[in-house]
Each structure stands twice: as C-alpha cells, then as structure tokens.
C-alpha cells in the first residue's frame, strides 16, 4: 500500500493495526490494503452506527471474491444495526413506522476511478433488486436474504416503511475539484438507485482522504489512537558522555558533550536543513529571537571565543522515551546512543541560534562541542519536574505552566486537524504557547487565540460563567484541575468555544464605529456566551457528557464555519448584551462585567433575541 497522504490517517491506521494485534509495517502490501479497507469501513459506518466496535466488522463485511464491489453492507432499522432474522422480527413487531437504511461501502487504496464508481453503483443496484444480476458470495447473499425478510415482513404487517440507500466510495487520495466526470458518476449513481421502485431516498458519496481524516477525528473510537506524532529517533556519539547512576523514575541518564555536526543530525529533519519542530513541543517557551541573551550566544559563536562555548553556556537537556547503546554506524567508528522520540526541554534558544548559524560554524573546519544532558524516562510527572527545573532561570507566565498539560496537547492536536480540514473559512490561529510554528488560515482576518483565552472562552461557553472569564486569567487558572483542563473534558468543547471567541473578535475588529468597539470589548466573553445560545439554542450538555457533548460540539463547529450565519448571530448577540446591561443595577457592582447577575440577564436576552422578541 502506498503511504497515506494524510498524517491523521497514517498515524491512526498504525494504531488501528495494533488494536487488531498486528504491526502495520510488518504486513505484506495486500495485507496492508485489506487492513486499510477495514479501517476506512468502520469509521464510515460509525457515522451512522456509533456503537459499532472493531470486532463487529465481521457482521457487516462482504468483501472478497464475488462481492460485486461492496466491501461492507449495514442494514439499519430506526438507526439500529440488524445482524440476523431474530433482531429484525423483534423490532418490526414492536415499532412503527420503520426507517430502513441500507449502507454500502467500497474502499480502494488507489485513486478515484469512474469505472470502479460505476461498478460500485451497479453492485448496490443489484443488491436492491429482487434477484441478483451477478454471482454473489455467501456473506452478500445472507445480507440480501435479511434485506428481503425485512421488506416482506413489513409488507405483510402493513408497517409504514421508508427506505434510504447510502453508498460511500472511499479512496486514499484527494478528489479532483469539480465539476469532473467523477462528480458526474456519483450523481448518476444516485439517479440509478432512485430508479429502484422501493427506494425513497438515495445518495452515493465520495470519501476522499481529507473527509476520512475528518470522520476519524470526530469519532470517539479515535480516543484509542495515539495523538503523538510519528515515531522518530536520532543518534549521538557517546565518546564524550558519562552515564550517571540510575535515578528513580529514569531508565538512563548521560551527561557530557557532543560535537556540533552530531547536534545538527539530531535536531534537523531528513532534509538536513529544517529543524525537527516536533522535538520542541514540550518546551515551555518558544524561540524568542532577538533577545539580549540570544544576541550574546550568536556573538560568541561568530567570534574566536566560540570554542569556549561549553564553558559559557548551560547546554541542552533532552528527554527521550528510550536511550539505547548502539553499535558504530561504520566499521571503526565510535559507539553511539540511539534516542527515540526525544524532546529538547531546555536550550531551545541555544538550539535555534546554533541552527541559524550552521553555515558559518560548518565552514570553521574545527570541532565545536556542546554541553548536553540526556534523560530517558516515560514517567510524565518526572518529565514535568525536569522541564520546570531546567527553566527556572527565566520567569514563566502562569498559563505557560499548563501549555504541556495532556489536555492542552490534546486540544492543540484537535485544532490542527480541524484547521487543515476546514480550508478558507477557519477563523482562528491557535497559539498553545508563544514560539510554536503556526499555519495561517486562508481567512484573511483570522484571529489569534492563545491557550489562556481558549480556557476563558471554555469557562464562558460550557461552564456558563462569562463573568468569571471577564475577571481576567487568574480566576480561570484557579479552576484548572477541578473544572478546567481535566481528563474527562472533551477537547471539542475548548475548540468550539475558541471558535466562538475568534468570531466575536473578528466581528469587533471589522466594526466601523470606535464607540461600538469601546462599548462591547469589555464584554467579549458575554458576547461569546450569547452567541452560543443564539447559534445552538439547546442547553449545553456540559463539557464531559460523552456522546451528547460531541454531537453538540459538532453542530456548533459546523455553524461556526458558516460566516454569514455568524455575522447575523453576532448582531443579535450585541443587542442581547446591551439589553442585559441595561437591566443590571450597576450601583451594586464595581465591575459590572464580572457580575453573575449580568450572566443571567444575557441568557434571558439571548433567548429572547433567538425567539425574535
């Protein structure tokens, strides 16, 4: 199988393989293709059957010889997966009317092909017909018999029946921008299925790799997948390193020096030029560029004193999952250490300056050594203590201490996925911590939202406490660990709250009247709260209510990407906040934006605006 073109798919596919008890890289190409078909099938079907488990794939799988281009077929009665005659009869006896959905899936690891799409449509058509046009394998024949039983029993009992046929053709590639013959083929497939007398609704949809990645990222099953980047490793020579006695919680610890060329090999990608940014994820601060300290580091490196660098610099600290002694790369070479999935937790400023001056330093012709400490541990608390202790020489802002919390990393990972999928309507540039590389969305006036602002938006939106959010960052940070950034929170709640804040700020930035901006800027988190009520009026299920939270956030996210809808909703949100402030007895409050009474008034007025009052 060719390498997946989407990093989300590639990483999730490897984890899916492990859940099936195999290692993806150890499979033959035909086995990799078969595994990808299972992988894509379950995530497509779980869009309709949310409780479908990996072990349930056998119940819907029809792929193989004589499958008529149908890798899977799922039969649903009122949203419930039916797998045998007893299930079907039991439900038909108890419930009416019946919504009968027939879902077919075909997966290919190559590109979209119009002839295969046509064959897939014909396969669905023959499955829906009274008699098979082509030879069917045993599994497909059993599914046909179950379908016929449902139709026959509903007709005999005069049960109202609505039949919907959905076909999903998935390929591990992009779909060309339409209109093309491929798009026409999908439209014609729908018409072919609607030509079957018993079919009330039909659709044949493409699932290209970006849409598959989106289905994966929205699927609770993805919680079983690792959100870590692809594994990577690097080597350092051990000639000038000393192993320290084993410490509690740490498997290996080495200290000493490595040469500059080895540093470049360790910290740059395979192209030998760009920095390996994933190795800086757990550093609490980003590159600060032209600071006094960085200028002094650069000045030293460019002077004749550069070989005194180990005496003048505190050095680099790397934490790795494992550190293993490795044989020399070439015969006669020195011993090496192999580091896997390492993070540079101290020395980011130094590393960037060293990388920036690589051409000059490589031309010197003499060996430059760098002080270094290497630690191997999978003990997360110990890793955080090392990060904290290694960065005490400079003050760190309160929110930076939470930049590497597991939930913060999960939120960042989710936002990266959604930003890549959303395209030109993504309104936000998320900053988990200063200095991390950011992609800039196509929306020209996208708003930058940092982690602290995302947490405050979450407090306003999902904890119904915009007055706490307006009181500044400190009250929100005091909630971390109790009601904010806790393991049970859905990262989607933080992301959608941040999207609402980005739209609010974008709306205020685009306002023509300075007086209008001056009036509402102090109340932006109340605007966010009102906006949530106006855009998705149902009561919020809270951030940790499982499927309900995910469904609620999915609706919010979809509406946040409709710019005209958000503009109209924000017009009503400003009217709601203005009316809520007028109802507030200001004499009782020193800072009315921080009053719980204002929050209650905003909820009432937003609901009134929603109903057109």
């Amino acid at each position: 199988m060719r390498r997946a073109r989407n990093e989300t798919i590639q990483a999730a596919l490897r984890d899916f393989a492990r859940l099936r008890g195999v290692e993806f890289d150890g499979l033959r190409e035909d086995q990799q293709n078969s595994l990808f078909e299972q992988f894509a099938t379950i995530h497509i079907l779980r869009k309709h059957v949310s409780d479908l488990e990996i072990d349930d794939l056998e119940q819907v799988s029809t792929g193989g010889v004589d499958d008529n281009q149908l890798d899977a077929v799922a039969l649903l009665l009122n949203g419930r997966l039916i797998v045998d005659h007893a299930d079907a009869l039991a439900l038909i006896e108890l419930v009416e009317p019946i919504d009968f959905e027939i879902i077919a899936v075909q997966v290919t690891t190559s590109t979209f092909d119009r002839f295969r799409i046509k064959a897939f449509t014909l396969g669905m058509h023959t499955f829906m017909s009274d008699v098979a046009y082509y030879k069917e394998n045993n599994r497909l024949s059993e599914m046909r018999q179950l379908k016929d039983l449902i139709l026959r029993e509903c007709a005999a009992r005069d049960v109202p029946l609505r039949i919907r046929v959905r076909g999903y053709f998935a390929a591990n590639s992009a779909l060309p921008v339409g209109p093309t013959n491929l798009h026409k083929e999908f439209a014609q497939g729908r018409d072919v299925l609607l030509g079957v007398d018993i079919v009330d609704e039909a659709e044949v949809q493409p699932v290209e790799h970006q849409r598959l990645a989106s289905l994966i990222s929205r699927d609770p099953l993805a919680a079983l997948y690792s959100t870590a980047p692809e594994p990577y490793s690097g080597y350092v020579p051990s000639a000038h390193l000393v192993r320290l006695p084993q410490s509690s919680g740490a498997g290996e610890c080495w200290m000493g020096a490595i040469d500059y060329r080895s540093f470049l090999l360790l910290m740059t990608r395979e192209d030998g030029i760009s920095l390996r940014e994933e190795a800086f994820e757990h550093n609490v601060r980003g590159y600060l560029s032209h600071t006094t300290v960085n200028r002094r580091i650069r000045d030293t490196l460019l002077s004749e004193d550069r070989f005194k660098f180990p005496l003048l610099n505190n050095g680099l600290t790397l934490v790795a999952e494992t550190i293993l002694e490795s044989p020399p790369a070439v015969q006669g070479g020195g011993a090496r250490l192999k580091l896997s999935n390492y993070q540079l937790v101290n020395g980011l400023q130094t590393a960037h300056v060293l990388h920036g001056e690589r051409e000059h330093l490589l031309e010197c012709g003499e060996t430059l050594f760098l002080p270094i400490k290497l630690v191997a541990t999978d003990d997360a608390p110990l890793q955080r203590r090392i990060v904290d202790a290694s960065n005490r020489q400079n003050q760190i802002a309160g929110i930076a201490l939470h930049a590497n919390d597991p939930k913060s990393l999960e939120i960042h990972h989710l936002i990266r996925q959604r930003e890549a999928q959303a395209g030109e309507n993504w309104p936000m540039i998320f900053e988990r911590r200063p200095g991390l590389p950011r992609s800039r969305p196509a929306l020209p006036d996208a708003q930058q939202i940092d982690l602290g602002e995302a947490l405050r938006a979450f407090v306003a939106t999902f904890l119904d406490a915009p007055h706490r959010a307006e009181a500044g960052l400190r009250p929100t940070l005091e909630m971390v660990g109790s009601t904010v950034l806790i393991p049970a929170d859905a990262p989607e709640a933080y992301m959608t709250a941040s999207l609402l804040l980005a739209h609010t700020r974008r709306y205020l930035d685009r306002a023509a009247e300075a007086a209008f901006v001056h009036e509402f800027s102090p109340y932006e988190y109340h605007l966010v709260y009102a906006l949530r009520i106006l855009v998705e009026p149902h009561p919020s299920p809270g951030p940790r209510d499982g499927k309900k939270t995910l469904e609620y956030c999915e609706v919010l996210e979809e509406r946040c990407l409709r710019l005209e809808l958000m503009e109209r909703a924000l017009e009503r949100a400003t009217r709601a906040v203005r009316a809520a402030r007028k109802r507030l007895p200001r004499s009782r409050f020193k800072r009315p934006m921080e009053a719980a009474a204002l929050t209650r008034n905003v909820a009432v007025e937003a609901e009134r605006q929603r109903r057109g009052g």
Side-chain angles (χ1 to χ4, degrees):
M1 175 183 166
R2 292 180 293 178
R3 180 177 175 85
R5 294 171 175 81
N6 184 287
E7 291 182 4
T8 300
I9 294 176
Q10 181 69 6
L13 178 57
R14 292 180 185 279
D15 285 336
F16 178 81
R18 295 187 187 102
L19 292 173
R20 300 289 278 169
V22 297
E23 285 296 326
F24 183 80
D25 292 330
L27 299 176
R28 299 190 310 270
E29 183 175 3
D30 63 315
Q31 293 173 321
Q32 290 183 351
N33 292 342
S34 176
L35 189 77
F36 179 76
E37 290 173 3
Q38 299 172 27
F39 168 77
T41 296
I42 191 167
H43 284 292
I44 291 170
L45 289 179
R46 278 175 61 88
K47 183 174 184 289
H48 301 280
V49 192
S50 60
D51 59 349
L52 187 71
E53 301 292 342
I54 293 176
D55 292 339
D56 297 333
L57 277 170
E58 295 180 1
Q59 297 178 337
V60 296
S61 178
T62 55
V65 178
D66 296 329
D67 64 6
N68 292 344
Q69 297 299 307
L70 305 182
D71 287 333
V73 175
L75 305 181
L76 278 65
L77 294 183
N78 290 356
R80 176 180 165 185
L81 180 66
I82 303 299
V83 296
D84 57 34
H85 291 197
D87 277 352
L89 292 173
L91 195 143
I92 292 171
E93 288 177 356
L94 294 174
V95 179
E96 62 176 67
I98 293 289
D99 189 357
F100 186 16
E101 282 189 281
I102 300 165
I103 303 172
V105 180
Q106 168 66 20
V107 181
T108 177
T109 56
S110 58
T111 58
F112 287 94
D113 180 282
R114 62 176 301 196
F115 298 105
R116 296 194 66 179
I117 298 169
K118 184 184 291 292
F120 173 55
T121 300
L122 293 176
M124 286 192 291
H125 184 269
T126 190
F127 181 79
M128 292 304 303
S129 303
D130 294 335
V131 180
Y133 302 154
Y134 310 108
K135 183 179 179 180
E136 293 178 335
N137 62 35
N138 290 337
R139 185 66 188 131
L140 194 56
S141 179
E142 291 172 358
M143 298 295 281
R144 169 186 288 279
Q145 293 172 21
L146 183 55
K147 176 211 69 173
D148 291 341
L149 171 77
I150 293 170
L151 297 177
R152 188 168 58 251
E153 289 296 324
C154 286
R157 300 164 190 264
D158 200 24
V159 174
L161 185 66
R162 184 176 187 82
I163 300 177
R164 307 179 186 185
V165 183
R166 304 180 191 274
Y168 294 95
F169 188 97
N172 191 26
S173 65
L175 184 68
V177 178
T180 67
N181 288 332
L182 293 174
H183 293 84
K184 292 178 182 178
E185 203 64 60
F186 284 110
Q188 290 171 1
R190 174 180 176 274
D191 293 340
V192 166
L193 293 175
L194 285 175
V196 180
D197 291 339
I198 61 173
V199 174
D200 297 299
E201 295 181 18
E203 58 184 24
V204 183
Q205 298 184 25
V207 181
E208 41 81 41
H209 63 79
Q210 286 284 36
R211 186 180 179 193
L212 179 58
S214 177
L215 290 174
I216 293 168
S217 62
R218 295 172 187 271
D219 192 341
L221 180 64
L224 299 175
Y225 302 155
S226 169
T227 57
E230 283 289 284
Y232 59 94
S233 59
Y235 295 87
V236 297
S238 60
H240 302 286
L241 297 173
V242 176
R243 175 190 271 150
L244 300 183
Q246 187 169 357
S247 301
S248 176
E252 294 277 333
C253 186
W254 297 72
M255 293 186 69
I258 62 170
D259 64 280
Y260 179 65
R261 290 180 182 273
S262 296
F263 159 81
L264 286 181
L265 290 174
L266 190 69
M267 300 308 297
T268 55
R269 298 189 186 278
E270 289 74 9
D271 59 10
I273 300 174
S274 55
L275 275 170
R276 185 180 289 280
E277 294 292 347
E278 60 266 36
F280 301 100
E281 282 280 344
H282 291 178
N283 204 289
V284 297
R285 61 169 64 84
Y287 181 46
L288 303 178
S289 190
H290 303 296
T291 65
T292 301
V293 173
N294 288 343
R295 284 197 299 270
R296 288 176 179 174
I297 295 173
R298 186 175 292 104
D299 291 344
T300 299
L301 292 172
L302 298 179
S303 72
E304 295 301 319
D305 285 338
R306 59 182 168 274
F307 299 109
K308 297 178 183 177
F309 187 79
L311 307 177
L312 304 174
N313 189 271
N314 289 332
L316 313 168
T317 300
L318 284 94
V319 175
E321 287 184 2
T322 59
I323 300 177
L324 302 173
E325 295 187 75
S326 180
V330 296
Q331 188 173 3
R336 304 180 300 166
L337 300 177
K338 181 179 180 180
L339 282 64
S340 65
N341 296 333
Y342 46 89
Q343 288 284 313
L344 189 142
V345 299
N346 186 49
L348 182 143
Q349 311 301 321
T350 299
H352 274 77
V353 176
L354 286 166
H355 179 263
E357 302 302 330
R358 61 190 179 280
E359 292 185 9
H360 173 78
L361 294 174
L362 290 174
E363 290 174 358
C364 292
E366 299 180 52
T367 303
L368 173 67
F369 283 95
L370 313 173
I372 194 167
K373 177 167 64 178
L374 310 172
V375 181
T377 181
D378 57 2
D379 184 338
L382 177 59
Q383 289 179 0
R384 286 195 290 271
R385 288 183 64 188
I386 293 171
V387 172
D388 182 47
S390 300
N391 289 277
R392 285 189 182 276
Q393 65 272 27
N394 290 300
Q395 186 176 2
I396 302 171
I399 189 60
L401 295 174
H402 301 288
N404 292 323
D405 283 5
K407 187 58 63 175
S408 298
L409 295 172
E410 191 178 353
I411 294 165
H412 194 184
H413 178 75
L414 175 69
I415 291 175
R416 281 177 172 173
Q417 289 180 339
R418 294 293 206 274
E419 181 183 309
Q421 297 157 10
E424 63 181 13
N425 289 334
W426 192 252
M428 174 174 61
I429 303 169
F430 182 69
E431 183 179 75
R432 195 182 88 238
R433 65 160 174 77
L436 278 178
R438 301 194 302 265
S439 59
R440 184 165 292 276
L443 197 64
D445 48 1
Q447 299 292 306
Q448 180 173 311
I449 306 296
D450 65 30
L451 178 60
E453 292 163 337
L455 301 189
R456 293 167 72 186
F458 168 82
V459 169
T461 305
F462 283 90
L463 301 187
D464 297 335
H467 54 286
R468 292 289 300 272
E470 300 288 13
L473 181 58
R474 182 182 294 276
T476 295
L477 291 181
E478 291 172 352
M479 301 165 73
V480 171
S482 58
T483 53
V484 173
L485 286 184
I486 65 173
D489 285 345
E492 287 82 359
Y494 293 85
M495 180 190 68
T496 50
S498 300
L499 288 174
L500 292 172
L501 177 59
H503 274 296
T504 299
R505 288 189 172 170
R506 179 173 173 268
Y507 182 78
L508 294 176
D509 279 356
R510 291 155 58 92
E513 297 180 9
F516 180 87
V517 176
H518 180 75
E519 177 185 359
F520 288 103
S521 290
Y523 299 93
E524 62 179 4
Y525 290 100
H526 285 90
L527 286 172
V528 168
Y529 179 55
L531 186 59
R532 189 268 292 170
I533 296 171
L534 289 161
V535 172
E536 176 48 28
H538 300 291
S540 166
R544 52 194 75 100
D545 199 7
K547 184 180 178 181
K548 290 183 179 179
T549 298
L550 295 177
E551 291 175 347
Y552 187 84
C553 290
E554 184 175 352
V555 173
L556 265 182
E557 181 187 351
E558 185 271 332
R559 293 177 182 177
C560 280
L561 298 183
R562 294 162 58 186
L563 301 184
E564 292 185 2
L565 171 67
M566 298 305 293
E567 289 282 331
R568 294 195 301 270
L570 275 160
E571 289 177 6
R572 292 187 291 167
T574 56
R575 292 199 293 269
V577 171
R578 180 177 284 160
R581 289 174 59 207
K582 289 180 178 179
R583 294 179 54 194
L584 187 70
R586 290 192 173 204
S587 58
R588 294 172 52 196
F589 305 103
K590 184 177 179 182
R591 288 175 57 84
M593 71 281 290
E594 298 175 12
L598 179 59
T599 293
R600 292 192 294 270
N601 290 352
V602 168
V604 171
E605 293 298 335
E607 182 65 22
R608 182 175 297 169
Q609 288 290 333
R610 186 183 71 81
R611 294 179 177 178

